[in-house]
Amino acid sequence: MTEITEQQDTVKEEPAAAEKPTRRDPVLKHFVGYWHYGVILTYLSLALSICGICFAAAYGGPRRDDIAAFFVLLAGLCDAFDGMVAKTRKHRSDNDKLFGMNIDSLSDMVSFGVAPIMVGVAMGMTRWYYCIIYVLFALCGLVRLAYYDVSEVNRLKDPTSVRRDSYEGLPITNVSLALPVFYLFATMFDKHPEWIGLNSNTIIIYQSIIMMSLYIICGFLFVFKFKMFKARAKGLIITVVTITVLVISLALIRYYACGVVLFGPLTKTPAGI
């Protein structure tokens, strides 16, 4: 009986709550935007990727592609759970939802469209023909994000729509999981390039093959129509743990077998090949 009464009270109060304008902080109301904790992970993801870009661009010292790749991974981990944090806020308005969706896409373009490119640039892949692949990768990511935003707005407008259980194409955020793995493979023989028949001046050939494969494959999957399962909280945690274990394992193999130290001064600054 108590449960029924509480449910009825909730139903009666909903119209009034919907009509009542959202209370805003007296200070923050003077600034544009929607300021609440629901978007904090999106902001943190952007901040981490900007830090990675700065390190890749030789901010305060030599180019550090290793640190940049690590920051992209951290940005991806933040982005993976930002939606869950946003949904903990009750009675979100449509404007709140649209604001969160738009800043998430804008942040994703920087974190997983621009920052991964800067990792390749910091590794020495700076010739003009690499630029073609960088541009295509970024454009595919941009199209993917814009297409998702349009489809999500249409879904929210449809009163019969249900919770999304799959994506069309590869979400751009998945780059953050693939990049560290490709990067570790690419830099595996920095210390002993002779093991694969190269020298210190031509190791960039091996690295470029690995990294350009990442940009080409991911760029293609961004815009290729296929159904990709959308993981829930449990699936995200399993994925994050799996990738973390894989990255740590590769880093240990790279160190103990190949003598390449993680976060060591690995980056060279040649003109590239």
Side-chain angles (χ1 to χ4, degrees), residues 10 15 17 27 57 67 72 80 83 95 98 100 103 108 110 115 123 131 135-136 141 145 155 176 179 211 214 216 252:
T10 302
V27 176
I67 297 178
V72 172
N95 286 340
L98 288 174
I103 64 165
D108 287 352
V110 177
M123 291 175 69
C131 187
V135 169
L136 291 175
L145 288 169
R155 188 183 71 83
S176 65
L179 177 66
M211 297 303 292
L214 167 71
I216 293 171
L252 292 175

Side-chain angles (χ1 to χ4, degrees), residues 36-268:
H36 49 74
Y37 75 88
V39 291
I40 190 66
L41 285 183
T42 301
Y43 295 153
L44 181 58
S45 175
L46 178 64
L48 289 168
S49 62
I50 293 295
C51 290
I53 291 172
C54 289
F55 278 106
Y59 183 78
R63 293 177 181 175
R64 295 304 300 265
D65 47 82
D66 49 352
I67 297 178
F70 177 70
F71 272 116
V72 172
L73 174 61
L74 290 181
L77 296 181
C78 291
D79 186 84
F81 298 100
D82 63 353
M84 296 181 189
V85 173
K87 289 175 183 176
T88 61
R89 294 182 65 249
K90 303 299 182 182
H91 309 298
R92 289 187 300 160
S93 67
D94 289 341
N95 286 340
D96 267 338
K97 294 177 182 178
L98 288 174
F99 178 77
M101 183 181 69
N102 279 290
I103 64 165
D104 187 59
S105 291
L106 293 170
S107 173
D108 287 352
M109 189 60 212
V110 177
S111 301
F112 315 116
V114 178
I117 291 174
M118 289 302 299
V119 173
V121 172
M123 291 175 69
M125 287 167 260
T126 55
R127 297 287 188 178
W128 64 268
Y129 38 81
Y130 292 121
C131 187
I132 297 175
I133 297 178
Y134 293 149
V135 169
L136 291 175
F137 171 79
L139 285 176
C140 289
L142 183 66
V143 170
R144 170 70 181 79
L145 288 169
Y147 180 81
Y148 172 78
D149 284 352
V150 171
S151 62
E152 190 67 7
V153 169
N154 291 334
R155 188 183 71 83
L156 293 174
K157 288 180 179 179
D158 186 359
T160 63
S161 66
V162 295
R163 189 176 182 181
R164 183 186 291 275
D165 59 1
S166 64
Y167 294 111
E168 282 188 299
L170 179 72
I172 191 173
T173 53
N174 284 267
V175 173
S176 65
L177 303 179
L179 177 66
V181 176
F182 276 73
Y183 174 80
L184 288 172
F185 273 115
T187 56
M188 188 72 71
F189 303 102
D190 268 12
K191 201 79 172 179
H192 300 284
E194 68 276 5
W195 290 0
I196 53 175
L198 299 173
N199 55 49
S200 57
N201 293 322
T202 56
I203 188 63
I204 189 68
I205 297 174
Y206 168 77
Q207 294 178 347
S208 64
I209 292 173
I210 299 295
M211 297 303 292
M212 290 303 120
S213 297
L214 167 71
Y215 300 128
I216 293 171
I217 293 171
C218 288
F220 173 76
L221 293 178
F222 290 159
V223 295
F224 183 72
K225 271 196 174 184
F226 70 97
K227 292 290 184 181
M228 181 172 175
F229 175 73
K230 181 181 179 181
R232 303 303 179 196
K234 185 178 179 180
L236 280 175
I237 293 173
I238 293 174
T239 301
V240 167
V241 171
T242 301
I243 294 297
T244 302
V245 171
L246 177 59
V247 168
I248 293 175
S249 300
L250 285 173
L252 292 175
I253 292 172
R254 196 178 70 152
Y255 174 68
Y256 286 106
C258 303
V260 181
V261 182
L262 187 63
F263 302 138
L266 306 179
T267 304
K268 298 170 286 294

